[in-house]
Amino acid sequence: MSETALNDENRLSRWMVLLGSLRQPKTGYMLIFGFASGLPYALLLGTLYAWLTDAEVDVETMGVFSLIGLAYAFKFLWSPALDRVDVPFLRRLGKRKQWIVTAQLMLGLILVVLSFLNPLTSLGLFSLLAGIGAFASATQDVVVDAWRVDVADEKATIDILSTVYQMGYRTAALVGGALALFMAERMGWPAVYMSMGGILLLVGIAGLFAPDAERSAQAMEDERSNLLTLREPGQLTPKVRALALGGVGALWLWALVTVLVFMVRSLNSDPDARPDSTAFVSTMGPLIVIATVVIPSIIAGSLEFLRKKGRYVLSVAEPATRASDTALDHGYRALILPLAEIIGRLRWAAILVIALVLTYRITDAIWGSFAYPFYLGELEYTKDEVAIASKFFGVGALLLGLALGGLLLTVIGRMTTLTLGALIAALTNLLYADLAIGGERMQAASDAIGFTWLTGLFGADERLSKLMLTIGMENIAVGIAGAAFVAYLSSIVAKGYSAVQYALLSSLTLLVGTLGRPALGQMIEERGYYDVFILTTLIGLFAVVLCLIEWVRIARSGRAENAPPPEPET
């Protein structure tokens, strides 16, 4: 058979896989779960501040209130518990589904209760419920990400599930953002949060019927066998494992307590007693990353090295005889083995993977906080114009980009799409650089392709058309890159350890973006937006280089590019 015929056959096979994936029940539930993940995020960390503004809550209090978003940045701190702890009386629902349904029902109830409160007169209870809601929402994100990895197979591929998840998530952002504002203008905020809570309650009920990761009697027996394996000859001694678990556990506990104490102190009613949030993020943020990611990864990698070298290992089997022995094995499997597994599997490539995770989405993660100041302050567009260009047209373009991303993942492969997404997402920063110096090129492009004429039919002037074109092109690129990046992260983590590994990797992306914003804000003040967009373009191109290196690594490893997530090594 000729090479052309083989290529045509492979292309047809990929199209068949795509069509088959879209017909899978797992794909439909992935869309629902993606929507359920995006809706509370939009309502608690975005739209809620419009309600607080209408209720005449002061800006400083709203700034402190926004710290509930730390639940999303540090969600990996409690992700090990979600892998090992069962919800009372709900274990029969499934390993992942028990937490997904619980979080969705809790979020639905919280939103309904919020609808009965006055945020000005009941601010204490209001903020407490919002904080619990953010914690439940972040927990749902962790478990939904793990569910996506666990249920992926040859029919419902990880690439398609990742794309569908992103489409559901972004659709929820539109519903919880623009639609919620539209409803509030006509029905009032209590009706908005009552209806949104009802939607999440319905999703939670529907989630009862979703498939879960297969957990047969054989699978449970395999898990028990994995625990017993820890005490077989050739495995690290219990003493060494206990020291490692104690050290890593202490670091994670310190980080969790530090974040919780900061949030409690920040919600103090006395403004003078509140800590400086900027100083906390810039100083404690890196320390928390070092304590919870860097040092534990070094410890886990060192343990794998010692085990493979036969040092500090058991010469004979040493079965667990006490409850403390069993607790040690479970704790080690929950906290250390996910790190040891990914470090041991990737080896030195783990550095490449982490570097790629840190840089792939950093440009839009940092820039997003300054979008409205750029549109409203620098370019002097009106709020209505920004809403039309960003919220309505922009979200539509983003959904289009996600759809294109899913198609490209199936047709040209994961790494090709990942690299293409990084390239075009970086280059779209140049479009904003042009807007920063007048936007003559973007205006000429809008005129040349007929976009100005088309938007003019709907009442948009030339100035608005170039903003819409810029936002639209960027969002298409971000959609393609986002679909590819979620699929890539999902392919890196191992089934069985997916909750901890995915939460760690995704949190790194969010944390780095958060830490970089103060420096970027200072650069905007000193150098202006044009230089900032040139810098973010260069950072994005660095991610392209890392994508190419990772592409070569995967090709040399011999692992199929669109293969499902790996099983954990034992």
Side-chain angles (χ1 to χ4, degrees):
M1 185 179 293
S2 67
E3 183 177 347
T4 302
L6 282 173
N7 290 335
D8 291 341
E9 184 177 345
N10 290 335
R11 192 174 295 111
L12 178 61
S13 176
R14 288 176 174 177
W15 277 103
M16 295 301 293
V17 169
L18 172 62
L19 294 176
S21 296
L22 294 176
R23 291 198 298 266
Q24 293 295 311
K26 295 175 184 177
T27 307
Y29 278 105
M30 187 76 269
L31 183 67
I32 294 173
F33 288 165
F35 182 87
S37 292
L39 188 60
Y41 187 90
L43 292 171
L44 295 174
L45 291 184
T47 308
L48 193 62
Y49 300 102
W51 187 2
L52 296 176
T53 300
D54 286 349
E56 298 182 352
V57 175
D58 64 272
V59 176
E60 182 181 358
T61 300
M62 282 193 280
V64 173
F65 197 89
S66 69
L67 293 174
I68 64 173
L70 288 175
Y72 295 91
F74 296 107
K75 60 188 177 183
F76 64 89
L77 292 176
W78 60 90
S79 60
L82 304 179
D83 253 344
R84 312 308 312 158
V85 178
D86 294 329
V87 180
F89 311 111
L90 296 180
R91 181 64 189 85
R92 295 178 61 185
L93 290 178
K95 180 180 180 181
R96 307 300 184 192
K97 204 166 68 173
Q98 60 177 328
W99 283 105
I100 293 175
V101 171
T102 299
Q104 289 168 350
L105 294 177
M106 181 182 294
L107 283 163
L109 288 173
I110 286 174
L111 293 178
V112 169
V113 174
L114 285 176
S115 69
F116 289 100
L117 298 178
N118 184 326
L120 185 60
T121 59
S122 305
L123 186 60
L125 179 58
F126 198 87
S127 60
L128 175 62
L129 288 174
I132 296 173
F135 179 84
S137 178
T139 299
Q140 178 188 209
D141 289 352
V142 172
V143 189
V144 167
D145 289 334
W147 181 88
R148 179 176 65 249
V149 174
D150 290 350
V151 303
D153 53 30
E154 292 77 8
K155 294 181 179 179
T157 66
I158 192 64
D159 293 340
I160 294 300
L161 291 177
S162 300
T163 302
V164 169
Y165 168 81
Q166 284 280 302
M167 295 185 71
Y169 194 96
R170 299 299 180 176
T171 301
L174 181 62
V175 172
L179 180 60
L181 291 172
F182 180 82
M183 292 173 60
E185 188 68 25
R186 290 154 179 79
M187 303 165 58
W189 287 112
V192 170
Y193 277 76
M194 173 73 77
S195 59
M196 297 296 174
I199 290 174
L200 281 175
L201 288 173
L202 291 176
V203 170
I205 295 172
L208 293 170
F209 305 96
D212 200 9
E214 294 183 8
R215 191 171 173 80
S216 61
Q218 181 60 46
M220 290 187 285
E221 181 62 32
D222 290 343
E223 185 170 316
R224 285 192 291 268
S225 297
N226 288 338
L227 283 177
L228 294 175
T229 301
L230 292 173
R231 295 184 171 271
E232 293 179 352
Q235 296 294 324
L236 293 167
T237 65
K239 183 177 181 180
V240 171
R241 291 193 292 111
L243 289 173
L245 179 61
V248 173
L251 290 171
W252 280 52
L253 180 61
W254 168 81
L256 184 58
V257 170
T258 299
V259 173
L260 290 176
V261 169
F262 172 71
M263 292 184 68
V264 171
R265 289 183 59 204
S266 296
L267 293 175
N268 192 309
S269 58
D270 182 6
D272 295 331
R274 294 170 181 169
D276 187 334
S277 58
T278 302
F280 176 83
V281 172
S282 60
T283 57
M284 298 305 297
L287 292 178
I288 291 175
V289 172
I290 292 172
T292 57
V293 179
V294 178
I295 295 178
S297 296
I298 293 174
I299 292 174
S302 301
L303 292 175
E304 275 296 288
F305 175 80
L306 292 174
R307 185 180 68 84
K308 291 180 178 180
K309 290 294 184 180
R311 300 175 61 184
Y312 302 104
V313 298
L314 294 170
S315 56
V316 295
E318 190 175 314
T321 57
R322 296 169 298 181
S324 59
D325 294 338
T326 304
L328 168 63
D329 294 344
H330 279 287
Y332 188 83
R333 190 181 190 281
L335 199 57
I336 305 294
L337 281 187
L339 296 172
E341 191 281 332
I342 197 168
I343 297 294
R345 172 163 46 88
L346 296 176
R347 296 183 175 86
W348 290 107
I351 298 175
L352 172 61
V353 170
I354 291 174
L356 180 56
V357 168
L358 292 176
T359 58
Y360 193 83
R361 299 299 302 274
I362 192 173
T363 53
D364 56 278
I366 294 179
W367 145 243
S369 298
F370 302 100
Y372 287 121
F374 178 63
Y375 300 145
L376 300 172
E378 182 75 9
L379 302 183
E380 298 182 347
Y381 284 96
T382 66
K383 293 183 178 67
D384 287 343
E385 289 173 331
V386 173
I388 292 171
S390 179
K391 292 298 183 183
F392 289 98
F393 183 76
V395 171
L398 184 62
L399 293 175
L400 175 60
L402 289 168
L404 288 174
L407 180 63
L408 291 172
L409 283 167
T410 303
V411 176
I412 65 177
R414 185 181 299 143
M415 291 309 301
T416 310
T417 308
L418 187 75
T419 307
L420 175 64
L423 178 62
I424 59 178
L427 294 179
T428 53
N429 283 272
L430 297 177
L431 307 184
Y432 285 99
D434 180 65
L435 288 185
I437 56 174
E440 293 183 4
R441 294 178 180 84
M442 289 308 303
Q443 186 65 67
S446 180
D447 295 341
I449 64 175
F451 189 78
T452 303
W453 170 80
L454 180 62
T455 55
L457 298 177
F458 299 93
D461 58 16
E462 292 184 351
R463 188 166 169 272
L464 180 57
S465 68
K466 68 180 178 183
L467 178 65
M468 293 175 66
L469 180 62
T470 303
I471 291 177
M473 293 179 69
E474 185 214 17
N475 283 7
I476 289 174
V478 167
I480 294 173
F485 188 60
V486 172
Y488 170 72
L489 286 186
S490 301
S491 72
I492 288 296
V493 303
K495 291 185 176 182
Y497 300 130
S498 50
V500 179
Q501 291 179 351
Y502 194 97
L504 270 172
L505 293 174
S506 59
S507 293
L508 281 178
T509 305
L510 183 60
L511 280 172
V512 171
T514 302
L515 296 175
R517 286 170 194 153
L520 198 69
Q522 183 178 355
M523 183 177 178
I524 290 173
E525 290 291 333
E526 296 176 354
R527 304 284 297 274
Y529 282 96
Y530 178 82
D531 287 349
V532 165
F533 288 124
I534 298 301
L535 175 63
T536 53
T537 300
L538 295 176
I539 295 175
L541 292 178
F542 180 68
V544 175
V545 174
L546 292 176
C547 284
L548 292 172
I549 298 173
E550 173 68 351
W551 193 351
V552 172
R553 182 193 71 83
I554 290 177
R556 288 184 174 178
S557 70
R559 183 167 178 258
E561 187 180 316
N562 290 323
E567 299 290 342
E569 294 182 358
T570 57

